[in-house]
Amino acid sequence: MTTAVSAGNGAGSGDLAEATSSEASLRRFLHGLPGVDQVGAEARAAMLGTRSIKTTAKELAIDLAIRMVDLTTLEGQDTPGKVRALSSKAMRPDPADPSCPQVAAVCVYPDMVPFARETLGDSGVHVASVATAFPSGRASMAVRLADTRDAVEAGADEVDMVIDRGAFLSGRYQQVFDEIVAVREACARPDGTAAHLKVIFETGELATYDNVRRASWLAMMAGADFIKTSTGKVSPAATLPVTLVMLEAVRDFREATGQMVGVKPAGGIRTSKDAIKYLVMVNEVAGPDWLDPVWFRFGASSLLNDLLMQRTKMKTGRYSGPDYFTLD
Amino acid sequence: MSERLEVRKTYKLYVGGAFPRSESGRSYEVTDAKGKFLANASQASRKDGRDAVGAARKAFGGWSTRTPYNRGQVLYRVAEVLEGRRAQFVEEVSASEGLSRSKAETSVDAATDRLVWYAGWADKLAQVVGGANPVAGPYFNFSLPDPTGVVAILAPQDSSLLGLVSTIAPAIVSGNTTVVVSSYQRPLPAITLSEVMATSDVPGGVVNILTGDAAEIGPWLASHMDVNALDLAGIEDADLVRDLEVAAAENLKRVLRPAPGTDWTAQPGLERMTAFLETKTVWHPIGI
């Protein structure tokens, strides 16, 4: 189903290369993107949120949502012990039930990466690290790049960078573009591989859906592997309409270039019900190809416990309580 | 002059200090003792029960750490507000239970007095059921009563106000929070009591009142792993009582069994308060 908000962008990959060739052409391209119909986007997101997902479909959705969680701790009071505990939880979210899947990744600050790496080993759970002076991004470029290299050297599989919202909002798109490219280069490892790059927009500071759409295209053209809504430090964090706009962007980007980019809403997603609404939206807007932890993630901490409680309720037939799951 | 339109009533539930409709959208007709239509009431579902348990759990920390003195004051305030609505309660009890006006008045007054009586216990319970224990060593040793947590109350079916108050008050006076399923046939006094609770300093979530079928919601509350105690006052079916007790055993809930034919007008003992207490014993070295 298409709506008034879908970006009817006919840009091919050749056009995109031209768009990024100069500051002026980049601006022309981003401002030439069709505007987002705010009312339409919000209505569509709300409508998709009313779908009723029950019984076996709900079981599948909950397990998929668990596999998509980036279990996150980004607090000033984090300790190696807390990161180890969280990593253990990531590998076995429900110790009482071996059939419970692992989460996708553990997301920590760069200095905590070695502890997460050590605990996770080769379990398959990735280590994601925020970098580039998270959450504000207010540091010199040299510091931000060093921060990124630090995280990659310490063993991070994925790097979550923040864009310079000040530069973006004042229209210095080329600067933001170049910074993403530079961070992407800093993600490279000596052996030729590279850490996955997630680009955080902090949509709560971007003010309009049009800006979210522009930021999405900007980041994708600069080579982001994932686009992520928020740091979780600013309210509002992830919302359904913002994620809808981003999902449309990755869909249109694939149509234009054939490349798939992942989406990660983060912050404010606390209940299974919310998570399932996002999954419905992923399926309806981007398509079923994105219903995979490789292409869609939830940045969350308390969400996991609610998913586990729902899962236990479905297995045992009785309501579970927070006493039976770890505090984190 | 045109005739005044009748105000037709569809009452709602009381969960977390708010008055939501049932998640299921169901309601049922409430009639008086002779079968005449009185009002519509929401018919709560298991999910309303789940929401109520969540609200009760959220309220537990704040309510249980208030000073007992303060809890006594709040309970007394409930009695005050209930007294202020005396006429309304008398009418509802009279219609619901088919009592004469004077008998309904006696019943409502007894409910008010019951609240006052329990309010007085708030700061005295610890002296009676707790105490200092003599031990063979250089320690002070105290036993103190602590509230057990979230109490699910399946309220009496016949005594629509006095029985209801006599089950809620002893649970909350010691710091527990409650999820109450009211009488199915006679829910009106419970609905008005929730309006009293909402306007009398009782924090939202401490008392949650669901109107509906205890046989439908009861099993979900009995098996809920985040409920700590169960009061079966209103269940008469022996098979259902057994099933509920079996379900409650899963996480070792404290269960207060039904006492058929309980005379709610009789002076209560401490039993309904002590049923929902844990004993905490503290050892404290002397001389440090």
Side-chain angles (χ1 to χ4, degrees):
Chain A
M1 164 174 174
T2 52
T3 66
V5 294
S6 73
N9 198 295
S13 46
D15 302 335
L16 292 184
E18 199 209 311
T20 58
S21 60
S22 74
E23 170 99 52
S25 61
L26 188 58
R27 173 187 310 264
R28 205 159 44 236
F29 175 80
L30 292 177
H31 284 267
L33 287 169
V36 180
D37 170 3
Q38 182 182 347
V39 175
E42 281 167 5
R44 175 134 166 86
M47 197 257 291
L48 290 173
T50 61
R51 293 277 173 87
S52 182
I53 307 293
K54 300 288 182 204
T55 61
T56 48
K58 186 172 174 188
E59 274 176 32
L60 286 170
I62 286 175
D63 276 11
L64 180 60
I66 292 174
R67 287 168 50 219
M68 287 175 166
V69 167
D70 277 6
L71 197 56
T72 305
T73 181
L74 296 169
E75 307 281 342
Q77 61 200 1
D78 284 349
T79 58
K82 187 180 176 193
V83 170
R84 284 192 198 104
L86 202 73
S87 305
S88 306
K89 184 175 181 174
M91 293 187 285
R92 282 175 297 279
D94 186 353
D97 182 358
S99 72
C100 183
Q102 295 183 330
V103 306
V106 170
C107 185
V108 293
Y109 273 118
D111 63 328
M112 291 293 153
V113 168
F115 307 109
R117 186 77 272 166
E118 171 196 315
T119 310
L120 291 170
D122 56 2
S123 63
V125 178
H126 287 188
V127 179
S129 169
V130 296
T132 68
F134 180 93
S136 66
R138 297 255 72 91
S140 75
M141 199 54 210
V143 171
R144 281 186 271 165
L145 291 177
D147 197 15
T148 310
R149 280 188 214 107
D150 242 21
V152 176
E153 270 168 36
D157 303 298
E158 302 170 3
V159 168
D160 291 26
M161 71 167 287
V162 289
I163 62 167
D164 183 341
R165 278 88 76 189
F168 181 87
L169 289 170
S170 46
R172 286 177 274 136
Y173 298 127
Q174 190 68 43
Q175 182 191 337
V176 178
F177 183 88
D178 293 343
E179 286 177 0
I180 296 173
V181 171
V183 174
R184 186 175 161 71
E185 279 159 12
C187 286
R189 300 193 193 91
D191 64 1
T193 60
H196 263 57
L197 180 64
K198 304 197 196 108
V199 179
I200 306 172
F201 301 148
E202 197 64 288
T203 51
E205 293 182 350
L206 293 190
T208 66
Y209 294 131
D210 286 344
N211 277 341
V212 173
R213 176 169 283 171
R214 286 176 196 139
S216 302
W217 278 88
L218 182 66
M220 290 187 294
M221 290 190 296
D225 298 304
F226 252 87
I227 52 178
K228 174 173 167 183
T229 59
S230 333
T231 60
K233 305 289 183 197
V234 168
S235 187
T239 63
L240 283 167
V242 155
T243 313
L244 176 93
V245 171
M246 289 166 60
L247 286 167
E248 285 174 351
V250 296
R251 178 197 63 196
D252 295 342
F253 189 73
R254 183 169 76 164
E255 266 177 35
T257 66
Q259 288 171 35
M260 254 173 106
V261 175
V263 178
K264 175 177 173 185
I269 307 166
R270 293 199 177 80
T271 64
S272 308
K273 209 172 198 169
D274 288 345
I276 291 172
K277 285 180 190 174
Y278 278 94
L279 293 182
V280 169
M281 206 165 72
V282 170
N283 188 51
E284 295 294 325
V285 177
D289 291 352
W290 267 270
L291 281 178
D292 187 291
V294 176
W295 300 114
F296 194 78
R297 298 278 181 84
F298 292 109
S301 44
S302 54
L303 170 65
L304 182 59
N305 271 7
D306 196 69
L307 287 166
L308 293 176
M309 275 194 267
Q310 285 290 323
R311 198 173 183 277
T312 309
K313 152 76 174 59
M314 302 202 75
K315 297 263 173 207
T316 61
R318 58 172 180 259
Y319 287 115
S320 189
D323 290 355
Y324 304 92
F325 299 96
T326 56
L327 295 169
D328 52 23
Chain B
M1 187 176 141
S2 61
E3 211 174 306
R4 197 175 156 264
L5 276 178
E6 191 188 352
V7 179
R8 286 194 271 180
K9 306 182 192 87
T10 299
Y11 292 110
K12 298 195 272 188
L13 309 173
Y14 182 53
V15 176
F19 291 91
R21 290 192 173 81
S22 168
E23 160 279 334
S24 63
R26 298 177 304 175
S27 62
Y28 68 103
E29 289 189 0
V30 179
T31 58
D32 69 7
K34 296 195 186 74
K36 191 172 131 269
F37 175 80
L38 286 176
N40 292 301
S42 290
Q43 187 170 0
S45 67
R46 67 178 169 91
K47 291 192 178 175
D48 296 312
R50 173 200 64 185
D51 293 348
V53 171
R57 173 59 62 197
K58 212 168 148 199
F60 179 72
W63 182 242
S64 60
T65 50
R66 289 205 181 194
T67 62
Y69 178 71
N70 181 240
R71 282 199 298 268
Q73 286 179 311
V74 171
L75 242 68
Y76 189 83
R77 171 89 181 125
V78 175
E80 278 179 1
V81 179
L82 196 151
E83 176 81 1
R85 293 218 189 197
R86 185 167 178 271
Q88 184 184 1
F89 276 111
V90 167
E91 196 179 307
E92 286 172 352
V93 169
S94 163
S96 299
E97 302 185 19
L99 296 179
S100 69
R101 188 164 185 83
S102 68
K103 280 195 175 146
E105 279 173 354
T106 312
S107 178
V108 172
D109 290 346
T112 313
D113 295 350
R114 187 62 39 86
L115 274 166
V116 174
W117 189 80
Y118 276 118
W121 272 107
D123 55 359
K124 301 172 186 68
L125 197 58
Q127 288 98 310
V128 176
V129 299
N133 311 311
V135 288
Y139 297 96
F140 290 122
N141 183 289
F142 308 99
S143 288
L144 308 162
D146 264 5
T148 194
V150 175
V151 182
I153 298 173
L154 307 177
Q157 296 295 321
D158 297 335
S159 185
S160 59
L161 180 65
L162 180 55
L164 181 71
V165 166
S166 302
T167 50
I168 296 176
I172 63 173
V173 69
S174 58
N176 296 297
T177 55
T178 56
V179 175
V180 185
V181 182
S182 76
S183 167
Y184 184 76
Q185 302 284 353
R186 305 168 175 182
L188 291 195
I191 290 161
T192 308
L193 186 70
S194 57
E195 287 166 10
V196 167
M197 293 290 174
T199 51
S200 56
D201 302 338
V202 181
V206 170
V207 178
N208 302 282
I209 299 182
L210 307 175
T211 51
D213 187 359
E216 181 197 341
I217 312 165
W220 290 98
L221 294 173
S223 66
H224 198 308
M225 299 296 274
D226 205 26
V227 171
N228 303 99
L230 187 62
D231 182 347
L232 297 175
I235 306 292
E236 277 154 26
D237 177 356
D239 287 342
L240 182 57
V241 168
R242 193 198 57 231
D243 290 349
L244 293 175
E245 285 188 289
V246 169
E250 185 63 39
N251 70 337
L252 306 179
K253 287 181 186 65
R254 295 184 177 277
V255 177
L256 196 56
R257 308 183 76 172
T262 302
D263 177 12
W264 296 105
T265 60
Q267 190 75 334
L270 299 186
E271 188 211 9
R272 291 198 153 268
M273 285 186 284
T274 55
F276 305 125
L277 294 176
E278 311 287 334
T279 299
K280 174 171 75 185
T281 297
V282 183
W283 295 70
H284 192 285
I286 293 172
I288 291 179

PDB file of all heavy atoms in Angstrom, chain A residues 54 313 317-324, chain B residues 46-47 50 220 223-226 250-251:
ATOM      1  N   LYS A  54      -1.737 -12.121  17.739  1.00  0.00           N
ATOM      2  CA  LYS A  54      -2.073 -13.039  18.835  1.00  0.00           C
ATOM      3  C   LYS A  54      -1.446 -14.421  18.628  1.00  0.00           C
ATOM      4  O   LYS A  54      -0.986 -14.745  17.539  1.00  0.00           O
ATOM      5  CB  LYS A  54      -3.598 -13.210  18.930  1.00  0.00           C
ATOM      6  CG  LYS A  54      -4.354 -11.924  19.199  1.00  0.00           C
ATOM      7  CD  LYS A  54      -4.145 -11.442  20.621  1.00  0.00           C
ATOM      8  CE  LYS A  54      -4.939 -10.179  20.879  1.00  0.00           C
ATOM      9  NZ  LYS A  54      -4.383  -9.379  21.957  1.00  0.00           N
ATOM     10  N   LYS A 313       4.682 -15.926  29.968  1.00  0.00           N
ATOM     11  CA  LYS A 313       3.221 -16.010  30.075  1.00  0.00           C
ATOM     12  C   LYS A 313       2.671 -16.950  28.994  1.00  0.00           C
ATOM     13  O   LYS A 313       1.786 -17.768  29.250  1.00  0.00           O
ATOM     14  CB  LYS A 313       2.626 -14.609  29.941  1.00  0.00           C
ATOM     15  CG  LYS A 313       1.228 -14.506  29.379  1.00  0.00           C
ATOM     16  CD  LYS A 313       0.163 -14.906  30.386  1.00  0.00           C
ATOM     17  CE  LYS A 313      -1.256 -14.667  29.878  1.00  0.00           C
ATOM     18  NZ  LYS A 313      -1.608 -15.376  28.654  1.00  0.00           N
ATOM     19  N   GLY A 317       1.156 -20.100  30.598  1.00  0.00           N
ATOM     20  CA  GLY A 317      -0.262 -19.834  30.749  1.00  0.00           C
ATOM     21  C   GLY A 317      -0.606 -19.019  31.979  1.00  0.00           C
ATOM     22  O   GLY A 317      -1.770 -18.860  32.307  1.00  0.00           O
ATOM     23  N   ARG A 318       0.400 -18.516  32.681  1.00  0.00           N
ATOM     24  CA  ARG A 318       0.084 -17.631  33.812  1.00  0.00           C
ATOM     25  C   ARG A 318       0.983 -16.398  33.738  1.00  0.00           C
ATOM     26  O   ARG A 318       2.070 -16.448  33.184  1.00  0.00           O
ATOM     27  CB  ARG A 318       0.268 -18.360  35.145  1.00  0.00           C
ATOM     28  CG  ARG A 318       1.658 -18.887  35.341  1.00  0.00           C
ATOM     29  CD  ARG A 318       1.887 -19.444  36.736  1.00  0.00           C
ATOM     30  NE  ARG A 318       3.247 -19.916  36.797  1.00  0.00           N
ATOM     31  CZ  ARG A 318       3.601 -21.195  36.701  1.00  0.00           C
ATOM     32  NH1 ARG A 318       2.694 -22.131  36.602  1.00  0.00           N
ATOM     33  NH2 ARG A 318       4.873 -21.535  36.732  1.00  0.00           N
ATOM     34  N   TYR A 319       0.491 -15.319  34.308  1.00  0.00           N
ATOM     35  CA  TYR A 319       1.257 -14.079  34.258  1.00  0.00           C
ATOM     36  C   TYR A 319       2.516 -14.199  35.089  1.00  0.00           C
ATOM     37  O   TYR A 319       2.511 -14.763  36.180  1.00  0.00           O
ATOM     38  CB  TYR A 319       0.413 -12.910  34.764  1.00  0.00           C
ATOM     39  CG  TYR A 319      -0.654 -12.489  33.805  1.00  0.00           C
ATOM     40  CD1 TYR A 319      -1.992 -12.626  34.112  1.00  0.00           C
ATOM     41  CD2 TYR A 319      -0.309 -11.964  32.563  1.00  0.00           C
ATOM     42  CE1 TYR A 319      -2.974 -12.241  33.225  1.00  0.00           C
ATOM     43  CE2 TYR A 319      -1.285 -11.584  31.666  1.00  0.00           C
ATOM     44  CZ  TYR A 319      -2.620 -11.717  31.993  1.00  0.00           C
ATOM     45  OH  TYR A 319      -3.579 -11.342  31.104  1.00  0.00           O
ATOM     46  N   SER A 320       3.599 -13.674  34.544  1.00  0.00           N
ATOM     47  CA  SER A 320       4.853 -13.679  35.272  1.00  0.00           C
ATOM     48  C   SER A 320       5.047 -12.322  35.942  1.00  0.00           C
ATOM     49  O   SER A 320       4.248 -11.416  35.752  1.00  0.00           O
ATOM     50  CB  SER A 320       5.988 -13.967  34.292  1.00  0.00           C
ATOM     51  OG  SER A 320       7.169 -14.177  35.007  1.00  0.00           O
ATOM     52  N   GLY A 321       6.110 -12.204  36.719  1.00  0.00           N
ATOM     53  CA  GLY A 321       6.343 -10.930  37.403  1.00  0.00           C
ATOM     54  C   GLY A 321       7.798 -10.532  37.311  1.00  0.00           C
ATOM     55  O   GLY A 321       8.653 -11.360  36.986  1.00  0.00           O
ATOM     56  N   PRO A 322       8.089  -9.261  37.590  1.00  0.00           N
ATOM     57  CA  PRO A 322       9.470  -8.774  37.477  1.00  0.00           C
ATOM     58  C   PRO A 322      10.438  -9.429  38.466  1.00  0.00           C
ATOM     59  O   PRO A 322      11.646  -9.377  38.261  1.00  0.00           O
ATOM     60  CB  PRO A 322       9.343  -7.268  37.746  1.00  0.00           C
ATOM     61  CG  PRO A 322       8.016  -7.078  38.374  1.00  0.00           C
ATOM     62  CD  PRO A 322       7.151  -8.199  37.944  1.00  0.00           C
ATOM     63  N   ASP A 323       9.894 -10.091  39.499  1.00  0.00           N
ATOM     64  CA  ASP A 323      10.785 -10.743  40.465  1.00  0.00           C
ATOM     65  C   ASP A 323      11.600 -11.873  39.838  1.00  0.00           C
ATOM     66  O   ASP A 323      12.603 -12.291  40.392  1.00  0.00           O
ATOM     67  CB  ASP A 323       9.966 -11.370  41.608  1.00  0.00           C
ATOM     68  CG  ASP A 323       9.363 -10.326  42.500  1.00  0.00           C
ATOM     69  OD1 ASP A 323       9.657  -9.138  42.275  1.00  0.00           O
ATOM     70  OD2 ASP A 323       8.593 -10.690  43.406  1.00  0.00           O
ATOM     71  N   TYR A 324      11.138 -12.375  38.691  1.00  0.00           N
ATOM     72  CA  TYR A 324      11.760 -13.580  38.145  1.00  0.00           C
ATOM     73  C   TYR A 324      12.780 -13.283  37.066  1.00  0.00           C
ATOM     74  O   TYR A 324      13.285 -14.191  36.416  1.00  0.00           O
ATOM     75  CB  TYR A 324      10.666 -14.535  37.634  1.00  0.00           C
ATOM     76  CG  TYR A 324       9.694 -14.853  38.738  1.00  0.00           C
ATOM     77  CD1 TYR A 324       8.554 -14.096  38.927  1.00  0.00           C
ATOM     78  CD2 TYR A 324       9.986 -15.860  39.657  1.00  0.00           C
ATOM     79  CE1 TYR A 324       7.692 -14.342  39.977  1.00  0.00           C
ATOM     80  CE2 TYR A 324       9.137 -16.108  40.713  1.00  0.00           C
ATOM     81  CZ  TYR A 324       7.993 -15.341  40.873  1.00  0.00           C
ATOM     82  OH  TYR A 324       7.166 -15.581  41.931  1.00  0.00           O
TER      83      TYR A 324
ATOM     84  N   ARG B  46      -9.492 -10.686  32.313  1.00  0.00           N
ATOM     85  CA  ARG B  46      -8.201 -11.050  32.910  1.00  0.00           C
ATOM     86  C   ARG B  46      -7.159  -9.954  32.677  1.00  0.00           C
ATOM     87  O   ARG B  46      -6.278  -9.731  33.489  1.00  0.00           O
ATOM     88  CB  ARG B  46      -7.703 -12.374  32.362  1.00  0.00           C
ATOM     89  CG  ARG B  46      -7.333 -12.348  30.892  1.00  0.00           C
ATOM     90  CD  ARG B  46      -6.795 -13.698  30.437  1.00  0.00           C
ATOM     91  NE  ARG B  46      -6.678 -13.762  28.998  1.00  0.00           N
ATOM     92  CZ  ARG B  46      -5.584 -13.417  28.322  1.00  0.00           C
ATOM     93  NH1 ARG B  46      -4.522 -12.974  28.967  1.00  0.00           N
ATOM     94  NH2 ARG B  46      -5.543 -13.506  27.013  1.00  0.00           N
ATOM     95  N   LYS B  47      -7.278  -9.252  31.548  1.00  0.00           N
ATOM     96  CA  LYS B  47      -6.279  -8.221  31.265  1.00  0.00           C
ATOM     97  C   LYS B  47      -6.456  -7.007  32.173  1.00  0.00           C
ATOM     98  O   LYS B  47      -5.484  -6.334  32.499  1.00  0.00           O
ATOM     99  CB  LYS B  47      -6.340  -7.795  29.803  1.00  0.00           C
ATOM    100  CG  LYS B  47      -5.858  -8.907  28.894  1.00  0.00           C
ATOM    101  CD  LYS B  47      -5.631  -8.436  27.488  1.00  0.00           C
ATOM    102  CE  LYS B  47      -5.105  -9.591  26.644  1.00  0.00           C
ATOM    103  NZ  LYS B  47      -4.967  -9.219  25.236  1.00  0.00           N
ATOM    104  N   ARG B  50      -4.651  -8.056  35.135  1.00  0.00           N
ATOM    105  CA  ARG B  50      -3.206  -7.887  34.946  1.00  0.00           C
ATOM    106  C   ARG B  50      -2.808  -6.425  35.129  1.00  0.00           C
ATOM    107  O   ARG B  50      -1.838  -6.119  35.829  1.00  0.00           O
ATOM    108  CB  ARG B  50      -2.832  -8.357  33.545  1.00  0.00           C
ATOM    109  CG  ARG B  50      -1.396  -8.077  33.163  1.00  0.00           C
ATOM    110  CD  ARG B  50      -1.222  -8.111  31.664  1.00  0.00           C
ATOM    111  NE  ARG B  50      -1.990  -7.047  31.018  1.00  0.00           N
ATOM    112  CZ  ARG B  50      -2.106  -6.902  29.708  1.00  0.00           C
ATOM    113  NH1 ARG B  50      -1.547  -7.770  28.908  1.00  0.00           N
ATOM    114  NH2 ARG B  50      -2.809  -5.911  29.203  1.00  0.00           N
ATOM    115  N   TRP B 220      -6.818 -16.156  37.202  1.00  0.00           N
ATOM    116  CA  TRP B 220      -5.678 -15.416  36.665  1.00  0.00           C
ATOM    117  C   TRP B 220      -4.927 -14.705  37.776  1.00  0.00           C
ATOM    118  O   TRP B 220      -3.693 -14.598  37.727  1.00  0.00           O
ATOM    119  CB  TRP B 220      -6.147 -14.414  35.609  1.00  0.00           C
ATOM    120  CG  TRP B 220      -6.613 -15.120  34.378  1.00  0.00           C
ATOM    121  CD1 TRP B 220      -7.899 -15.413  34.043  1.00  0.00           C
ATOM    122  CD2 TRP B 220      -5.786 -15.689  33.360  1.00  0.00           C
ATOM    123  NE1 TRP B 220      -7.925 -16.119  32.870  1.00  0.00           N
ATOM    124  CE2 TRP B 220      -6.645 -16.304  32.422  1.00  0.00           C
ATOM    125  CE3 TRP B 220      -4.408 -15.731  33.144  1.00  0.00           C
ATOM    126  CZ2 TRP B 220      -6.175 -16.952  31.282  1.00  0.00           C
ATOM    127  CZ3 TRP B 220      -3.940 -16.375  32.015  1.00  0.00           C
ATOM    128  CH2 TRP B 220      -4.809 -16.979  31.098  1.00  0.00           C
ATOM    129  N   SER B 223      -2.979 -17.373  39.874  1.00  0.00           N
ATOM    130  CA  SER B 223      -1.762 -17.932  39.262  1.00  0.00           C
ATOM    131  C   SER B 223      -0.750 -16.842  38.930  1.00  0.00           C
ATOM    132  O   SER B 223       0.365 -17.151  38.519  1.00  0.00           O
ATOM    133  CB  SER B 223      -2.126 -18.686  37.981  1.00  0.00           C
ATOM    134  OG  SER B 223      -2.626 -17.786  37.003  1.00  0.00           O
ATOM    135  N   HIS B 224      -1.109 -15.578  39.100  1.00  0.00           N
ATOM    136  CA  HIS B 224      -0.205 -14.475  38.738  1.00  0.00           C
ATOM    137  C   HIS B 224       1.027 -14.498  39.637  1.00  0.00           C
ATOM    138  O   HIS B 224       0.916 -14.456  40.860  1.00  0.00           O
ATOM    139  CB  HIS B 224      -0.949 -13.150  38.883  1.00  0.00           C
ATOM    140  CG  HIS B 224      -0.294 -12.011  38.157  1.00  0.00           C
ATOM    141  ND1 HIS B 224       1.025 -11.698  38.317  1.00  0.00           N
ATOM    142  CD2 HIS B 224      -0.786 -11.113  37.258  1.00  0.00           C
ATOM    143  CE1 HIS B 224       1.321 -10.650  37.554  1.00  0.00           C
ATOM    144  NE2 HIS B 224       0.238 -10.285  36.895  1.00  0.00           N
ATOM    145  N   MET B 225       2.207 -14.531  39.012  1.00  0.00           N
ATOM    146  CA  MET B 225       3.429 -14.689  39.797  1.00  0.00           C
ATOM    147  C   MET B 225       3.830 -13.410  40.538  1.00  0.00           C
ATOM    148  O   MET B 225       4.747 -13.426  41.345  1.00  0.00           O
ATOM    149  CB  MET B 225       4.582 -15.129  38.879  1.00  0.00           C
ATOM    150  CG  MET B 225       4.335 -16.452  38.197  1.00  0.00           C
ATOM    151  SD  MET B 225       4.204 -17.817  39.357  1.00  0.00           S
ATOM    152  CE  MET B 225       5.927 -18.254  39.530  1.00  0.00           C
ATOM    153  N   ASP B 226       3.166 -12.304  40.248  1.00  0.00           N
ATOM    154  CA  ASP B 226       3.508 -11.059  40.926  1.00  0.00           C
ATOM    155  C   ASP B 226       2.472 -10.695  41.994  1.00  0.00           C
ATOM    156  O   ASP B 226       2.454  -9.579  42.476  1.00  0.00           O
ATOM    157  CB  ASP B 226       3.658  -9.928  39.901  1.00  0.00           C
ATOM    158  CG  ASP B 226       4.565  -8.814  40.421  1.00  0.00           C
ATOM    159  OD1 ASP B 226       5.422  -9.109  41.285  1.00  0.00           O
ATOM    160  OD2 ASP B 226       4.414  -7.663  39.989  1.00  0.00           O
ATOM    161  N   GLU B 250       1.809 -22.108  43.511  1.00  0.00           N
ATOM    162  CA  GLU B 250       2.967 -22.060  42.593  1.00  0.00           C
ATOM    163  C   GLU B 250       4.049 -21.098  43.085  1.00  0.00           C
ATOM    164  O   GLU B 250       5.227 -21.422  43.051  1.00  0.00           O
ATOM    165  CB  GLU B 250       2.478 -21.652  41.202  1.00  0.00           C
ATOM    166  CG  GLU B 250       3.534 -21.684  40.125  1.00  0.00           C
ATOM    167  CD  GLU B 250       4.085 -23.085  39.876  1.00  0.00           C
ATOM    168  OE1 GLU B 250       3.299 -24.063  39.912  1.00  0.00           O
ATOM    169  OE2 GLU B 250       5.293 -23.195  39.662  1.00  0.00           O
ATOM    170  N   ASN B 251       3.662 -19.908  43.540  1.00  0.00           N
ATOM    171  CA  ASN B 251       4.683 -19.014  44.093  1.00  0.00           C
ATOM    172  C   ASN B 251       4.438 -18.754  45.588  1.00  0.00           C
ATOM    173  O   ASN B 251       4.795 -17.707  46.109  1.00  0.00           O
ATOM    174  CB  ASN B 251       4.761 -17.698  43.308  1.00  0.00           C
ATOM    175  CG  ASN B 251       3.545 -16.813  43.505  1.00  0.00           C
ATOM    176  OD1 ASN B 251       2.488 -17.306  43.854  1.00  0.00           O
ATOM    177  ND2 ASN B 251       3.706 -15.512  43.289  1.00  0.00           N
TER     178      ASN B 251
END
